Amino acid sequence: MAADAPVTPITPPSEAAVDKSTPAVFLIHGLGGTQYDLGSMHKRLKNAGFVTHSLTLPGHGTTPEDLVHVTAEQWMEAVTAKYHEVAAQHDNFHIMGMCMGALLATELAKRQKHTRGKLIALAPPIYIDGWATAWYTPARHLMYYVPGVPARMRVEEEDPFGIKNEQLRAIVKAKFARGENFHYRWVPLACIRQVDRLRRWVMTDLKNMASETLVIHAREDELTSLASANYLVEQIGGAKARMVVLENSYHMICVDNDREQVARNVLEFFGASSAASLGMAVDDPKMSADALQAFAQSLRAALEAGDFSGVFARGASDMGWFQPGSNRASGIYRGNKGLQAMLPWAGGIKFTAFGQPVFNAGIAVLPATLTAAGLMSQGVLAFAVRSGRLLDARWFPDDVALEDAHFGAPPAPAGPSEAERAFEAAGIAVKTLAKPPGNDELLALYALYKQATVGDATGERPGIMDVTGRAKFDAWAQRKGMAREAAMAGYAALVEKLRAG
């Protein structure tokens, strides 16, 4: 049940400022955790057009001792109050929870007879029977009645911390060792008793569930077996509930190997596109599934080694690397010039803790962690591939602020060069020429403009029947090797010549 820094309730805008037709998702975190339990789902849902709402459950975001006297009723009261707050702002909204949050989400949807959206239960612990469960775990029910024990006894977070990915698990261990307050290191036995009470509530009257339901569960969940997911689906009924089983994760499915598969299933269940949530268009890769997978594996190997030159070598001439944020590394780096601009800050950066890749036509998405001196930033890498060449590579960190703090503020813009200013002015002046240019001059203008803005000609030469397209391509290709500055200067000089006469 790993999680991140304490998260305060996300305060939505006033009702007057909210378009009630905009769909929303109410997300509920797990026991001892925060919204980090849900990985990058907040960001992916927002990118897909949803408004996200969440809360910090009673007893959370402070110290484990604050859980001693919290009851299951208080948790239900908190999520119910938030539910009505969200309902007042949106005509349609979905409910989603992780671990104990999945239990709360299920009970909430059931009690409210929720029909204004769908329900997703992520790794719901209906049973505490996972493969790492100690043989004496059932004895906790006796300990509940021993005076003073429930408040004093600590239930520690232990290896494997709900994470199968060994590199990612090492990152979580390091966070605990540094004392980072990203998740409670232990919880009192008293609150486990409240979870047991909540489990019993959830297990009743499930056939009255009104919400269409998706349950996502890992086959190797060390805390709760697939029996939990099966129980929910069977009791709600196959007409309203279905299940997705993950094959390469433990309990923390939103941050483990299969987290991209989780994101894709969540978005598709809510009627959104996974690729769209990354701002990328899906296109035919014009290569086999095996070739695409092998290509993605080669990119992974290059990034594990910190070999950005190797990544760009696999790209088209105008391939771009998209680095988000507001820091000195942020920007879009295209072609060889972009690579040279990246190298000063990218030295020492590597990607590690890769998860299971997900493919959607020509888009390959790999969960990963960006590492540098003192920085471990989780997120996903997205690659657009076509005909064996990389078109775009984009990094989507879960927490951009971490990278902003690490890389520092962006440098002040230097402003356009003299050649760039002259080029821009020529682009305006060419539209006001007194006399239209001849064919040869039009071809020259086209070729110089393309060489200045794109670089060397790319793509296939148009066929013989496309006379105009073929002539334009040939004129551009003749400028191969011309530097950008020279092409800009040539364009500006030709426009000036045409203006003069």
Side-chain angles (χ1 to χ4, degrees):
M1 290 182 256
D4 205 349
V7 176
T8 54
I10 295 177
T11 304
S14 65
E15 291 185 32
V18 175
D19 181 353
K20 296 189 72 170
S21 66
T22 303
V25 184
F26 175 23
L27 302 100
I28 309 173
H29 66 78
L31 180 64
T34 63
Q35 292 308 314
Y36 179 81
D37 291 359
L38 292 140
S40 62
M41 285 313 310
H42 273 286
K43 180 179 293 185
R44 298 293 292 276
L45 287 165
K46 288 177 181 176
N47 290 346
F50 296 92
V51 177
T52 63
H53 297 265
S54 63
L55 80 170
T56 299
L57 293 168
H60 290 73
T62 53
T63 63
E65 289 83 359
D66 291 331
L67 282 169
V68 170
H69 301 296
V70 175
T71 65
E73 285 83 359
Q74 288 175 293
W75 291 329
M76 281 305 306
E77 288 170 4
V79 297
T80 301
K82 190 69 178 183
Y83 175 91
H84 289 300
E85 182 182 324
V86 176
Q89 298 177 59
H90 301 275
D91 295 330
N92 297 287
F93 64 99
H94 310 293
I95 308 172
M96 181 167 73
M98 169 68 202
C99 188
M100 184 183 80
L103 298 179
L104 289 167
T106 302
E107 186 65 11
L108 178 66
K110 183 176 66 179
R111 292 188 185 187
Q112 298 297 323
K113 302 186 185 308
H114 182 66
T115 57
R116 291 166 60 179
K118 299 178 180 180
L119 166 68
I120 294 183
L122 304 171
I126 297 295
Y127 303 109
I128 308 299
D129 61 347
W131 58 264
T133 304
W135 63 269
Y136 52 80
T137 297
R140 70 186 186 278
H141 297 285
L142 299 176
M143 303 300 292
Y144 292 157
Y145 298 97
V146 180
V149 169
R152 294 195 307 268
M153 186 173 180
R154 299 181 174 188
V155 181
E156 303 274 352
E157 283 281 356
E158 297 179 339
D159 215 331
F161 303 104
I163 298 174
K164 183 175 182 179
N165 186 304
E166 294 183 1
Q167 293 171 313
L168 188 56
R169 191 190 313 154
I171 291 172
V172 170
K173 285 183 179 180
K175 284 175 174 279
F176 277 127
R178 290 193 297 269
E180 293 186 21
N181 189 22
F182 73 104
H183 188 275
Y184 287 163
R185 188 66 178 81
W186 58 272
V187 295
L189 182 64
C191 82
I192 301 297
R193 183 180 188 180
Q194 298 305 315
V195 177
D196 282 337
R197 294 181 62 224
L198 177 59
R199 293 192 302 112
R200 288 193 292 273
W201 296 348
V202 172
M203 294 174 77
T204 61
D205 299 324
L206 283 169
K207 293 194 181 298
N208 296 325
M209 177 70 74
S211 307
E212 186 179 348
T213 303
L214 174 66
V215 182
I216 306 180
H217 208 101
R219 189 181 302 279
E220 296 182 83
D221 191 317
E222 83 288 358
L223 174 69
T224 174
S225 75
L226 274 178
S228 292
N230 286 326
Y231 182 90
L232 280 183
V233 172
E234 290 171 1
Q235 292 299 310
I236 294 173
K240 285 186 290 189
R242 65 182 180 88
M243 175 171 54
V244 170
V245 179
L246 307 174
E247 302 292 349
N248 196 23
S249 294
Y250 290 164
H251 183 64
M252 295 302 296
I253 58 176
C254 290
V255 297
D256 207 352
N257 287 322
D258 294 310
R259 58 189 182 271
E260 185 57 30
Q261 187 177 342
V262 173
R264 184 184 65 180
N265 279 280
V266 165
L267 290 162
E268 290 178 354
F269 186 64
F270 289 159
S273 163
S274 176
S277 75
L278 296 171
M280 303 181 77
V282 175
D283 199 3
D284 181 3
K286 297 190 179 299
M287 54 198 300
S288 69
D290 287 345
L292 181 59
Q293 190 164 1
F295 190 84
Q297 184 62 32
S298 72
L299 292 171
R300 168 180 169 164
L303 290 168
E304 280 183 311
D307 180 13
F308 287 91
S309 295
V311 173
F312 275 76
R314 293 167 172 80
S317 62
D318 60 344
M319 166 250 165
W321 178 280
F322 292 67
Q323 188 73 19
S326 298
N327 58 69
R328 70 181 182 90
S330 303
I332 302 174
Y333 300 87
R334 289 203 176 277
N336 184 63
K337 184 176 180 179
L339 172 63
Q340 299 308 312
M342 279 184 69
L343 293 179
W345 61 262
I349 289 178
K350 296 181 180 181
F351 286 86
T352 186
F354 283 90
Q356 198 73 17
V358 171
F359 299 92
N360 186 358
I363 305 295
V365 184
L366 284 77
T369 298
L370 183 153
T371 64
L375 174 67
M376 291 182 291
S377 176
Q378 291 174 246
V380 294
L381 287 158
F383 304 116
V385 182
R386 187 179 175 88
S387 301
R389 306 301 293 176
L390 180 61
L391 305 181
D392 280 327
R394 304 190 182 200
W395 168 238
F396 297 89
D398 292 349
D399 187 353
V400 177
L402 280 178
E403 297 187 6
D404 286 346
H406 176 81
F407 290 114
S417 66
E418 183 177 342
E420 289 169 335
R421 287 194 295 270
F423 180 70
E424 289 179 13
I428 297 172
V430 76
K431 299 174 184 178
T432 61
L433 293 175
K435 179 182 176 183
N439 286 338
D440 290 344
E441 292 162 330
L442 284 171
L443 287 173
L445 285 169
Y446 173 83
L448 289 167
Y449 184 87
K450 294 291 286 186
Q451 191 69 21
T453 56
V454 178
D456 290 344
T458 59
E460 296 181 4
R461 187 188 188 203
I464 194 169
M465 299 301 293
D466 184 1
V467 177
T468 301
R470 193 178 180 91
K472 290 167 69 176
F473 182 89
D474 289 346
W476 182 14
Q478 288 172 8
R479 266 69 178 186
K480 182 177 181 180
M482 178 181 281
R484 177 172 177 265
E485 291 74 12
M488 288 192 294
Y491 182 88
L494 179 54
V495 171
E496 185 60 30
K497 177 182 175 181
L498 293 170
R499 288 182 65 192

